[in-house]
Amino acid sequence: MYAAGDVRIENRPDPKIQSSTDAVVRVVLSCVCGSDLWPYKSMPAVDAGRPMGHEFLGVVEETGSDVSGVAAGDLVVAPFTYCDNTCDYCVRGLHISCRNGGRYGFDGVDGGQGEAVRVPQADGTLVKLPVTADSALLPSLLTLSDVMGTGHHGAVTAGVGRGDSVLVIGDGAVGLCAVIAAKRLGAEQIILMGRHSGRTDLGRAFGATDVVAERGEEGTARVRDITGGNGVAKVIEAVGTRQTLETALAAVDDGGTISRLGVPQYEDGPVGPSMIMRNITLTGGASPARVYIGQLLPDVLDGTITPGRVFDQTFTLDQTPAAYRAMTDRHVLKALITP
Amino acid sequence: MYAAGDVRIENRPDPKIQSSTDAVVRVVLSCVCGSDLWPYKSMPAVDAGRPMGHEFLGVVEETGSDVSGVAAGDLVVAPFTYCDNTCDYCVRGLHISCRNGGRYGFDGVDGGQGEAVRVPQADGTLVKLPVTADSALLPSLLTLSDVMGTGHHGAVTAGVGRGDSVLVIGDGAVGLCAVIAAKRLGAEQIILMGRHSGRTDLGRAFGATDVVAERGEEGTARVRDITGGNGVAKVIEAVGTRQTLETALAAVDDGGTISRLGVPQYEDGPVGPSMIMRNITLTGGASPARVYIGQLLPDVLDGTITPGRVFDQTFTLDQTPAAYRAMTDRHVLKALITP
């Protein structure tokens, strides 16, 4: 990406092992993330393009001398940041804060939207998949790199449990995965706020019991109607605008929890006296996808959850610019990319 | 209070039972709260003065026909809001949200800074004290109406437990009570941020292991020094300004929790991308003082905790305006008022 709206396919040097803890992974599947659309809408022009993409699975091609957990030929999935999985932050489930971690597309590390990626901290980062590269499960397994783990993080940090009522704000891939996660953790009532009927229909298939298409005050009034007037104890905010945070605050019950996913597109939020008088908790954050892969993988393998259904169109690598446009125009929910 | 800076002592009608669930309490001790100082600094002028005070203990004088839990002659303490203690919110520990609750000084209910108070929902609100009205424990018992329970709420919602490091921001009565609460819940390292050495000395006596007098960046640098660079996992923010929230965010470790006490003096706070990338949780709120009275009372009665030491000067009811001035000028930490 060279600037907002300017995504180009270019030849880059082939990734090579640079450190003994690196692996080179040949990408089998990658995709475009909702968070890729923020720079697509706003990134100032840069001279050297920024490699894009942080969700991919592929086959290990080569490993550094200190890598023992994966080997050439292994099919692996990568969480959306790399991490050593052993530092004090990783041990506490804060892989995003890993002392040796980082982001794809930065600091000389390749992006996932490409043919191959040098993955630092390969042992800590990559998870071997017990399927072959032609498995029909690949799209669902790819969601473990980000959106499914992120939705799961929302449900976990909101404290969703058996019998709960949960509000999910946002019908993007993360919101829909949060519906899957809430249902998986036992929620009984899952209200999905979204206006795109194709997406909310998928949300219903994933377990949403109610859909609210209205926004703002009208939307929160509907949520309060559905929940008997009090609002919802647990809210997963999967959009990231100030307006959706305001909706979350208006829809949450006193004493409730709002879990935010995705990167806020605001610096300041309405966290004044009302939040204190109502004992509202604001939590959530960037998911420790690495640790959730292990927790969610069995359910993907046995078909209990099918998050891969969020991919509604496949593009070749050359078509990636069109994938960005289609997702920005909301013609496509989530674009799968095949090299 | 008629306006900012304008507190007057006036004769008001004697409180009378108005509802069968009321009690009239003759005040034995009351006090001025840090939160009373916000309107003292900013309240627009009003024609009918606002009765002030929400912390008091006293002797029951009369009860409505439906009151069975307390009787004339009982010494009782009142939490800072009245509540039925039976509604769905109270049952969940959200007494501040009680469906039949309310605030002293509003809706025809007297303030605690007076000779007597009509207490609605007397059975749900008042807690009988097993001491006599001349007990030396009365000041500590009075703190159960607000500041001690509020400090405890901060420690509870921050998740303070055995062996923890905790940062308490603010050397006011609530901050000092939060130190007591953190120590009581097993914290091993309690860092108190405050600049008033008389108060931080009391904080040390209450269990603070470190005192940081610096503010802003210098203060957070000191906190990070003390904690080995990473910051503190649990922060209790007991001031309520935007600056102290910023200090909390700068001092908290990734994955940490900030519990806010007191009413924020801001509408918007810095809850943008950094909070998400660092997985910071913002919690806390108005304390369910009613339920904490029962939990903290034994420790007050046996002298394990001595929160009454926050009262450093006693004023008669007639001197209440001087008490407001003295607390505003920070000459007095917390003013005790005797009718």
Side-chain angles (χ1 to χ4, degrees):
Chain A
M1 184 176 292
Y2 282 82
D6 184 5
V7 174
R8 309 179 196 168
I9 306 301
E10 287 182 349
N11 280 315
R12 285 169 48 78
D14 286 340
K16 301 244 177 294
I17 300 291
Q18 292 179 19
S19 155
S20 62
T21 52
D22 287 351
V24 170
V25 175
R26 172 78 35 187
V27 175
V28 171
L29 268 187
S30 73
C31 52
V32 180
C33 184
S35 70
D36 292 334
L37 301 183
W38 297 119
Y40 187 70
K41 288 171 187 162
S42 65
M43 192 174 95
V46 287
D47 287 338
R50 186 175 126 194
M52 295 298 294
H54 51 260
E55 303 159 284
F56 61 98
L57 53 73
V59 176
V60 175
E61 227 170 41
E62 196 187 348
T63 56
S65 55
D66 286 332
V67 175
S68 59
V70 294
D74 285 348
L75 184 70
V76 293
V77 63
F80 67 93
T81 58
Y82 55 88
C83 56
D84 62 22
N85 205 27
T86 54
C87 77
D88 53 340
Y89 283 118
C90 286
V91 165
R92 284 154 54 198
L94 289 160
H95 295 69
I96 192 86
S97 303
C98 173
R99 294 188 189 275
N100 295 298
R103 297 168 66 189
Y104 301 104
F106 293 87
D107 304 319
V109 176
D110 312 284
Q113 292 158 10
E115 293 175 328
V117 177
R118 177 179 69 88
V119 177
Q121 302 294 335
D123 270 346
T125 305
L126 299 171
V127 179
K128 199 174 159 174
L129 296 172
V131 298
T132 54
D134 59 355
S135 165
L137 291 174
L138 254 48
S140 281
L141 292 167
L142 176 59
T143 67
L144 297 180
S145 70
D146 188 344
V147 285
M148 185 60 225
T150 296
H152 182 62
H153 193 51
V156 168
T157 54
V160 173
R162 197 148 297 281
D164 278 347
S165 282
V166 180
L167 171 65
V168 176
I169 301 177
D171 59 10
V174 168
L176 296 174
C177 287
V179 170
I180 296 176
K183 183 182 161 75
R184 183 176 169 278
L185 291 172
E188 218 155 71
Q189 182 178 47
I190 303 172
I191 306 166
L192 175 62
M193 283 187 104
R195 296 200 298 180
H196 191 299
S197 62
R199 299 176 183 192
T200 54
D201 284 351
L202 183 55
R204 284 190 193 273
F206 283 160
T209 54
D210 302 86
V211 168
V212 172
E214 295 86 348
R215 286 192 182 181
E217 280 181 33
E218 216 183 331
T220 54
R222 277 268 294 134
V223 171
R224 287 186 173 266
D225 271 356
I226 292 170
T227 54
N230 293 344
V232 187
K234 288 152 190 190
V235 179
I236 302 172
E237 199 288 270
V239 178
T241 66
R242 185 172 162 128
Q243 193 205 345
T244 49
L245 175 58
E246 283 165 359
T247 298
L249 284 161
V252 72
D253 193 6
D254 288 13
T257 300
I258 298 168
S259 176
R260 293 185 297 169
L261 303 174
V263 182
Q265 299 306 302
Y266 50 87
E267 287 295 334
D268 276 5
V271 291
S274 150
M275 208 175 132
I276 289 288
M277 296 314 286
R278 299 178 58 221
N279 275 274
I280 306 301
T281 293
L282 193 60
T283 187
S287 157
R290 175 61 175 79
V291 75
Y292 291 150
I293 293 174
Q295 296 174 24
L296 298 166
L297 185 57
D299 283 11
V300 171
L301 292 174
D302 71 10
T304 304
I305 60 174
T306 56
R309 294 172 69 186
V310 298
F311 295 111
D312 54 349
Q313 196 165 325
T314 301
F315 297 77
T316 63
L317 190 54
D318 284 343
Q319 296 167 330
T320 302
Y324 274 81
R325 271 196 304 277
M327 280 180 62
T328 299
D329 296 344
R330 291 176 69 87
H331 296 143
V332 169
L333 168 53
K334 193 165 175 73
L336 202 58
I337 296 178
T338 55
Chain B
M1 184 177 291
Y2 281 81
D6 184 4
V7 174
R8 309 178 196 167
I9 306 299
E10 286 182 350
N11 280 316
R12 284 168 48 79
D14 286 338
K16 302 248 177 287
I17 299 291
Q18 293 179 20
S19 155
S20 62
T21 51
D22 287 352
V24 171
V25 175
R26 172 76 39 187
V27 175
V28 172
L29 269 188
S30 72
C31 54
V32 180
C33 185
S35 69
D36 293 334
L37 301 183
W38 297 120
Y40 188 70
K41 289 171 188 164
S42 64
M43 192 173 95
V46 287
D47 287 338
R50 184 175 128 195
M52 296 299 294
H54 50 261
E55 302 159 285
F56 61 98
L57 52 72
V59 175
V60 176
E61 224 170 44
E62 196 187 348
T63 56
S65 55
D66 286 331
V67 175
S68 59
V70 295
D74 286 348
L75 184 71
V76 293
V77 63
F80 68 93
T81 57
Y82 55 88
C83 56
D84 62 21
N85 204 28
T86 54
C87 77
D88 53 339
Y89 283 118
C90 286
V91 165
R92 284 153 53 196
L94 288 160
H95 295 69
I96 192 85
S97 303
C98 173
R99 294 189 188 274
N100 296 298
R103 296 168 65 189
Y104 301 104
F106 293 87
D107 305 319
V109 176
D110 312 285
Q113 292 158 11
E115 293 176 328
V117 178
R118 177 179 68 88
V119 177
Q121 303 294 336
D123 270 348
T125 305
L126 299 171
V127 179
K128 199 173 157 175
L129 296 172
V131 299
T132 53
D134 60 354
S135 165
L137 293 173
L138 254 48
S140 281
L141 292 166
L142 177 59
T143 67
L144 298 180
S145 70
D146 188 343
V147 286
M148 185 59 226
T150 295
H152 182 61
H153 193 51
V156 168
T157 54
V160 173
R162 197 149 298 284
D164 277 346
S165 283
V166 181
L167 171 65
V168 176
I169 301 176
D171 58 10
V174 169
L176 296 174
C177 286
V179 170
I180 296 175
K183 183 181 162 78
R184 183 178 169 277
L185 291 172
E188 216 155 72
Q189 182 177 48
I190 302 172
I191 306 165
L192 175 62
M193 281 186 106
R195 294 200 300 180
H196 191 298
S197 62
R199 299 176 184 193
T200 53
D201 284 351
L202 183 55
R204 285 190 193 272
F206 283 160
T209 53
D210 303 85
V211 168
V212 172
E214 295 86 349
R215 285 192 183 182
E217 281 182 32
E218 216 183 334
T220 54
R222 276 269 292 135
V223 172
R224 288 187 172 265
D225 270 357
I226 292 170
T227 54
N230 293 343
V232 186
K234 288 153 190 189
V235 178
I236 301 172
E237 199 288 90
V239 178
T241 65
R242 184 170 162 128
Q243 193 206 346
T244 50
L245 175 57
E246 284 166 358
T247 297
L249 284 161
V252 71
D253 194 5
D254 288 13
T257 300
I258 298 167
S259 176
R260 292 186 297 169
L261 304 174
V263 183
Q265 300 306 302
Y266 51 86
E267 287 295 334
D268 277 4
V271 292
S274 150
M275 209 176 129
I276 289 288
M277 297 313 287
R278 298 179 58 220
N279 276 274
I280 307 302
T281 293
L282 193 61
T283 188
S287 157
R290 174 61 175 80
V291 75
Y292 291 150
I293 293 174
Q295 296 174 24
L296 298 167
L297 186 57
D299 283 11
V300 172
L301 292 174
D302 71 10
T304 303
I305 60 174
T306 56
R309 294 172 70 185
V310 297
F311 294 111
D312 53 347
Q313 196 164 326
T314 302
F315 297 78
T316 63
L317 190 53
D318 284 344
Q319 296 168 330
T320 302
Y324 274 81
R325 270 195 304 278
M327 280 179 62
T328 299
D329 296 343
R330 293 177 68 87
H331 297 143
V332 169
L333 167 55
K334 192 165 175 73
L336 203 57
I337 295 178
T338 54

XYZ file of all heavy atoms in Angstrom, chain B residues 255-292:
273
model
N -2.221 -5.186 29.773
C -3.107 -6.190 30.343
C -3.662 -5.804 31.699
O -4.382 -6.583 32.302
N -3.336 -4.603 32.161
C -3.717 -4.200 33.502
C -5.103 -3.600 33.604
O -5.804 -3.408 32.606
N -5.478 -3.309 34.854
C -6.814 -2.793 35.165
C -6.696 -1.469 35.903
O -5.925 -1.350 36.847
C -7.580 -3.797 36.047
O -7.700 -5.030 35.321
C -8.975 -3.289 36.394
N -7.488 -0.504 35.443
C -7.602 0.774 36.147
C -9.004 0.847 36.718
O -9.990 0.750 35.992
C -7.377 1.963 35.190
C -5.963 1.920 34.601
C -7.632 3.285 35.905
C -5.769 2.869 33.426
N -9.082 0.995 38.021
C -10.386 1.144 38.667
C -10.554 2.600 39.072
O -9.731 3.148 39.802
C -10.466 0.229 39.882
O -11.693 0.447 40.537
N -11.619 3.213 38.578
C -11.855 4.627 38.882
C -12.853 4.771 40.023
O -13.884 4.095 40.052
C -12.401 5.353 37.656
C -11.383 5.469 36.539
C -11.936 6.321 35.416
N -13.120 5.723 34.796
C -13.908 6.354 33.940
N -13.671 7.612 33.614
N -14.947 5.737 33.407
N -12.544 5.656 40.949
C -13.449 5.967 42.055
C -13.754 7.456 41.988
O -12.999 8.230 41.426
C -12.788 5.622 43.387
C -12.319 4.168 43.515
C -11.557 3.975 44.806
C -13.509 3.216 43.451
N -14.807 7.853 42.597
C -15.135 9.280 42.554
C -15.707 9.648 41.212
O -15.595 8.893 40.238
N -16.295 10.796 41.148
C -16.994 11.231 39.943
C -16.014 11.944 39.015
O -15.396 12.928 39.411
C -18.155 12.169 40.323
C -18.922 12.569 39.077
C -19.068 11.500 41.334
N -15.847 11.440 37.779
C -14.920 12.091 36.855
C -15.315 13.543 36.604
O -16.491 13.842 36.387
C -15.058 11.279 35.558
C -15.628 9.970 35.974
C -16.488 10.257 37.167
N -14.347 14.412 36.621
C -14.584 15.828 36.322
C -14.319 16.092 34.843
O -13.780 17.147 34.468
C -13.706 16.699 37.223
C -13.985 16.492 38.700
C -15.466 16.679 39.049
O -16.034 17.720 38.814
N -16.087 15.637 39.617
N -14.655 15.126 34.012
C -14.460 15.244 32.557
C -15.526 14.378 31.911
O -16.053 13.450 32.540
C -13.063 14.766 32.150
C -12.705 13.392 32.693
C -13.065 12.231 32.016
C -12.045 13.235 33.917
C -12.760 10.972 32.526
C -11.740 11.989 34.429
C -12.093 10.857 33.724
O -11.813 9.612 34.237
N -15.848 14.702 30.677
C -16.794 13.865 29.935
C -16.057 12.883 29.029
O -16.446 11.726 28.916
C -17.748 14.737 29.102
C -18.795 15.486 29.929
C -19.789 14.553 30.626
O -20.003 13.433 30.144
O -20.325 14.947 31.684
N -14.986 13.376 28.390
C -14.238 12.549 27.445
C -12.886 12.163 28.021
O -12.215 12.990 28.644
C -14.008 13.316 26.136
C -15.220 13.233 25.216
O -16.241 12.648 25.639
O -15.145 13.745 24.096
N -12.498 10.939 27.791
C -11.192 10.475 28.264
C -10.429 9.778 27.152
O -11.011 9.384 26.136
N -9.125 9.610 27.354
C -8.249 9.052 26.320
C -8.331 7.530 26.260
O -7.518 6.836 26.850
C -6.861 9.518 26.766
C -6.974 9.629 28.253
C -8.392 9.999 28.563
N -9.338 7.033 25.553
C -9.553 5.582 25.490
C -9.402 5.081 24.058
O -10.133 4.202 23.603
C -10.941 5.219 26.066
C -10.971 5.470 27.555
C -12.065 6.001 25.375
N -8.418 5.639 23.352
C -8.222 5.305 21.946
C -7.392 4.058 21.717
O -7.338 3.160 22.570
N -6.735 3.961 20.554
C -6.050 2.744 20.122
C -5.073 2.171 21.136
O -4.982 0.945 21.288
C -5.317 3.195 18.851
C -6.143 4.327 18.321
C -6.671 5.034 19.539
N -4.327 3.033 21.838
C -3.303 2.504 22.741
C -3.919 1.601 23.808
O -3.352 0.573 24.185
C -2.535 3.675 23.363
O -2.068 3.340 24.635
N -5.094 1.984 24.286
C -5.751 1.170 25.320
C -6.105 -0.225 24.797
O -6.010 -1.220 25.524
C -7.020 1.904 25.774
C -7.395 1.622 27.203
S -8.835 2.623 27.681
C -9.867 1.316 28.357
N -6.487 -0.274 23.527
C -6.832 -1.551 22.896
C -5.581 -2.391 22.642
O -5.525 -3.585 22.951
C -7.563 -1.282 21.560
C -8.965 -0.728 21.817
C -7.609 -2.537 20.695
C -9.935 -1.730 22.363
N -4.555 -1.750 22.082
C -3.339 -2.500 21.753
C -2.686 -3.021 23.033
O -1.997 -4.034 23.002
C -2.353 -1.619 20.973
C -2.878 -1.145 19.617
S -3.631 -2.451 18.612
C -2.169 -3.361 18.113
N -2.916 -2.350 24.149
C -2.300 -2.757 25.414
C -3.256 -3.561 26.289
O -2.915 -3.941 27.414
C -1.800 -1.520 26.157
C -0.701 -0.755 25.374
C -0.251 0.486 26.136
N 0.253 0.117 27.439
C 0.032 0.793 28.570
N -0.698 1.903 28.552
N 0.506 0.378 29.715
N -4.466 -3.817 25.814
C -5.439 -4.626 26.585
C -5.665 -4.082 27.997
O -5.655 -4.823 28.988
C -4.982 -6.088 26.650
C -5.401 -6.890 25.426
O -6.510 -7.418 25.372
N -4.536 -6.946 24.436
N -5.895 -2.771 28.080
C -6.170 -2.145 29.373
C -7.665 -2.181 29.657
O -8.477 -1.877 28.794
C -5.702 -0.667 29.377
C -4.237 -0.542 28.955
C -5.952 -0.025 30.745
C -3.273 -1.297 29.802
N -8.022 -2.537 30.872
C -9.426 -2.538 31.306
C -9.680 -1.340 32.213
O -8.882 -1.047 33.103
C -9.748 -3.843 32.063
O -9.672 -4.939 31.145
C -11.144 -3.802 32.680
N -10.807 -0.668 31.949
C -11.219 0.483 32.755
C -12.481 0.083 33.505
O -13.506 -0.237 32.890
C -11.497 1.665 31.822
C -11.645 3.056 32.427
C -10.375 3.473 33.148
C -11.965 4.060 31.317
N -12.399 0.067 34.835
C -13.545 -0.404 35.607
C -13.722 0.477 36.837
O -13.259 1.615 36.862
C -13.366 -1.908 35.946
O -14.563 -2.394 36.542
C -12.186 -2.144 36.860
N -14.404 -0.026 37.841
C -14.676 0.768 39.037
C -16.043 1.414 38.950
O -16.865 1.053 38.099
N -16.270 2.385 39.815
C -17.550 3.070 39.801
C -18.001 3.407 41.208
O -17.206 3.410 42.151
N -19.285 3.707 41.304
C -19.860 4.066 42.598
C -20.057 2.798 43.424
O -20.625 1.816 42.964
C -21.176 4.797 42.388
N -19.590 2.856 44.626
C -19.513 1.671 45.487
C -20.879 1.229 46.011
O -21.720 2.054 46.353
C -18.614 2.037 46.673
O -18.871 1.222 47.785
N -21.098 -0.075 46.088
C -22.279 -0.581 46.799
C -22.001 -0.590 48.302
O -21.851 -1.651 48.918
C -22.447 -1.996 46.235
C -21.054 -2.425 45.905
C -20.308 -1.167 45.507
N -21.912 0.606 48.861
C -21.472 0.745 50.255
C -22.303 -0.129 51.198
O -21.783 -0.693 52.164
C -21.564 2.212 50.676
N -23.593 -0.241 50.897
C -24.484 -0.988 51.790
C -23.985 -2.415 52.038
O -23.969 -2.898 53.166
C -25.891 -1.020 51.182
C -26.904 -1.872 51.926
C -27.110 -1.382 53.356
N -28.160 -2.106 54.028
C -28.013 -3.298 54.574
N -26.854 -3.902 54.493
N -29.015 -3.879 55.207
N -23.547 -3.060 50.960
C -23.146 -4.462 51.094
C -21.744 -4.564 51.707
O -21.431 -5.532 52.403
C -23.267 -5.197 49.745
C -22.148 -4.810 48.804
C -23.301 -6.699 49.924
N -20.925 -3.554 51.481
C -19.577 -3.594 52.039
C -19.577 -3.330 53.547
O -18.631 -3.724 54.238
C -18.670 -2.581 51.349
C -18.336 -2.900 49.888
C -18.088 -1.884 48.978
C -18.242 -4.219 49.437
C -17.763 -2.155 47.654
C -17.930 -4.499 48.108
C -17.691 -3.469 47.222
O -17.361 -3.740 45.926
